[in-house]
Amino acid sequence: MSDHEYTPKSKAGRWFNDRLPLLTLANHLTDYPTPKNLNYWWTFGGILTFCLITQIVTGLTLAMHYIAHADMAFESVEHIMRDVNYGWLIRYIHANGASMFFLAVYIHIFRSLFYGSYKSPREIIWIIGIIIYLLMMAAAFMGYVLPWGQMSFWGATVITNLFSAIPLVGEGIVTWLWGGYSVDNPTLTRFFTLHYLIPFLILGLVVLHIWALHVPGNNNPVGIDIKKPSKDTVPFHPYIVIKDGFALLMFMIVFAFFVFYAPNILGHADNYIEANPLVTPAHIVPEWYLLPFYAILRSVPDKLLGVVAMLSAILILAVLPWLDTSKIRSAVFRPLYKQFYWILVADVLILGYMGAMPAEGLYLLIARVATAYYFLHFLVILPVLGLKERTIPLPLSITESVLGGSPNMAMAKKRESKIE
Amino acid sequence: MSDKKPERRDFLFTASYAVGAVGVAAVVWPLVDQMNPDASVKALASTEVDVSSLKPGNTITVLWRGKPVFIRRRTQEEIAEARSVKMEDLIHPEKDEDRAKNPEWLVMLGVCTHLGCVPLNDKGDYDGWFCPCHGSHYDTSGRIRKGPAPWNMEVPKYEFVNANTIKIG
């Protein structure tokens, strides 16, 4: 929040701003005071905005050539790849863009977990973020169905069948979702419609996400409140804009690598075979970004409980601000939490790997242990840790932490630099 | 709510909200129901299959209402194996006699009851079907024996129109 009242310099500007205060908004966004100690993990908000806009622009252009019909969808995608001018480029950006979007969102989420950005007073920002994440998964899943390849068809079949686990009404819900007795043309057309709609819902939620962020202001690596008035902050423009811009360039190099040098490495070869309702591919796997949840689904031997466990693994994040009982935000000052944090990161990576492997033998056993640990982390370790842990004293201000005023801070900075 | 006594106006508000809610529900229902199977989908209710070319031990897969249906002409060993299983050993107890009225012919939806994949023929620990998606094993009667699927593969309504033709649906 800008502390001063803003008045446009020009007469026309004042005339317009009195009627619609867009210039006040623009001024707020450029002057928005930002903690001066933000590190590069904080640049992923901007990167995610870039990802969303990239997906919307490439998606709109693809929709000009794609045909949402079970008999023509597969061919129309090949038509985009072979005939449409730059169609290959637009489609590869869109397909890999989904992966890049999830890569960025996972870094963004784990940054929040490390620095306690979900804690009071930022719970609403966090919950809106979780809703955005859920919508992203829905959009990605439905987008993957549109090319109507074998993985599209069978992925759609498996995921929609999750709803059949619901007692009594499950089968009816699945038939309703399909618009028939199996995944078929009615399913494809509605998935296309929803896939088109969801990014705009996400866009609306992103506005709320940023609005909610601008009320308390950014969290920061030491996790203490900004002292006002102080020299703890710098204006968003040009300081953060240029830093975000640099990080975005680095990110785009990775993005471009996938698009130009390995455009299919994150996909699955079976999706270049047209959908066939009579043959299931030998090994069905979801896209990499859904693998940890897929591993949780498969590690529970009961159908309904497996679905419940998978959904709980995501929804448990929404109540995280109340499960974490520690008042200290940043892991920099929580020596034990920091260790459990990295164990959780490893646990999620292990789950992801197990999700890609066949659900049998040792893989299944490891997936089960990792699933149990995932829930243990949120339901037992976090609540207890907040009450038991001896934390490192916090610095008095961000300025003190940046200039290294206290010996404790020097210690903390050293630790922090290790994780960066 | 305050503790003042309800007035005429409160009643009018509540009544208006209630009528409004009914109106919204009436408008929403067609928008929800349009997603259910339409008349053209429902019209494809039955299909006839010529099974004269099937030899014992052969299976054909036909499409019925967008779903695969397995038609298997079972061998004597398979029938014997399916009929000798004790009910206590089954996850979803069903007699083979009830699933295959004519023991030589097993007709069922080729859809795994776990998450809807198509199980593979002549595979798995029970000489029947094996689902590659999440590892469910079915026996020679299509009954679930091991793995995450909760039920046996479903037997649809079918009948022999004549000796060589099965009508499904």
Side-chain angles (χ1 to χ4, degrees), chain A residues 17 62 83 89 94 207 277 302 357 375 407:
Chain A
N17 207 47
L62 286 172
D83 304 336
L89 177 65
H94 196 72
V207 170
D302 182 80
M357 294 295 119
F375 287 102

Side-chain angles (χ1 to χ4, degrees), chain B residues 100-144:
Chain B
K101 291 274 192 293
N102 178 347
E104 214 183 352
W105 294 96
L106 180 64
V107 179
M108 62 186 180
L109 292 185
V111 175
C112 180
T113 57
H114 182 227
L115 295 174
C117 296
V118 180
L120 302 169
N121 207 358
D122 292 321
K123 290 249 164 52
D125 297 353
Y126 295 87
D127 307 317
W129 286 264
F130 171 72
C131 182
C133 292
H134 307 94
S136 293
H137 299 256
Y138 295 87
D139 66 13
T140 55
S141 185
R143 292 174 297 198
I144 178 67

Side-chain angles (χ1 to χ4, degrees), chain A residues 68-294:
Chain A
H69 189 283
D71 296 338
M72 287 177 272
F74 187 82
E75 265 180 59
S76 75
V77 171
E78 282 311 301
H79 162 72
I80 289 170
M81 293 302 289
R82 291 153 196 259
D83 304 336
V84 175
N85 300 331
Y86 293 104
W88 60 273
L89 177 65
I90 299 171
R91 175 165 176 264
Y92 277 154
I93 292 175
H94 196 72
N96 287 283
S99 281
M100 292 300 114
F101 206 156
F102 276 95
L103 175 68
V105 92
Y106 282 127
I107 295 174
H108 194 63
I109 291 171
F110 275 100
R111 186 271 289 155
S112 196
L113 292 179
F114 188 86
Y115 293 110
S117 302
Y118 50 86
K119 290 184 197 185
S120 173
R122 297 185 179 82
E123 301 95 323
I124 298 295
I125 313 174
W126 171 255
I127 290 170
I128 293 171
I130 297 299
I131 298 170
I132 293 174
Y133 174 50
L134 279 171
L135 285 176
M136 277 175 64
M137 288 198 278
F141 158 65
M142 290 194 251
Y144 196 57
V145 175
L146 303 185
W148 212 240
Q150 273 290 65
M151 277 293 163
S152 302
F153 184 90
W154 291 101
T157 300
V158 167
I159 300 296
T160 47
N161 261 305
L162 292 177
F163 291 90
S164 71
I166 303 167
L168 302 175
V169 293
E171 296 291 337
I173 290 176
V174 173
T175 304
W176 177 72
L177 287 173
W178 287 340
Y181 303 103
S182 62
V183 172
D184 211 329
N185 194 50
T187 326
L188 177 61
T189 49
R190 66 191 55 181
F191 275 21
F192 180 58
T193 310
L194 295 173
H195 182 72
Y196 209 126
L197 167 73
I198 289 174
F200 297 99
L201 297 181
I202 293 178
L203 191 63
L205 284 166
V206 166
V207 170
L208 293 183
H209 194 63
I210 296 172
W211 187 359
L213 169 70
H214 281 228
V215 175
N218 287 74
N219 184 32
N220 62 79
V222 292
I224 58 172
D225 291 331
I226 295 170
K227 302 281 182 295
K228 276 184 194 173
S230 75
K231 292 186 170 150
D232 282 353
T233 64
V234 290
F236 187 79
H237 183 77
Y239 295 93
I240 302 297
V241 169
I242 206 75
K243 186 166 183 160
D244 277 0
F246 179 70
L248 179 60
L249 277 176
M250 295 296 113
F251 184 79
M252 283 161 82
I253 291 174
V254 178
F255 198 147
F257 169 79
F258 281 106
V259 170
F260 292 106
Y261 292 95
N264 287 308
I265 201 165
L266 298 169
H268 201 292
D270 277 84
N271 223 28
Y272 282 103
I273 303 168
E274 191 168 1
N276 179 355
L278 292 177
V279 182
T280 305
H283 189 47
I284 291 197
V285 275
E287 295 283 81
W288 68 268
Y289 39 81
L290 302 175
L291 286 173
F293 301 109
Y294 193 61

Side-chain angles (χ1 to χ4, degrees), chain B residues 7 12 15 20 22 31 49 54 62 67 84 123 128-129 145 151:
Chain B
E7 307 169 7
L12 285 172
V22 171
L31 297 176
V49 188
L54 251 75
V62 296
K67 282 179 175 170
S84 65
K123 290 249 164 52
W129 286 264
R145 302 300 294 272
W151 304 297

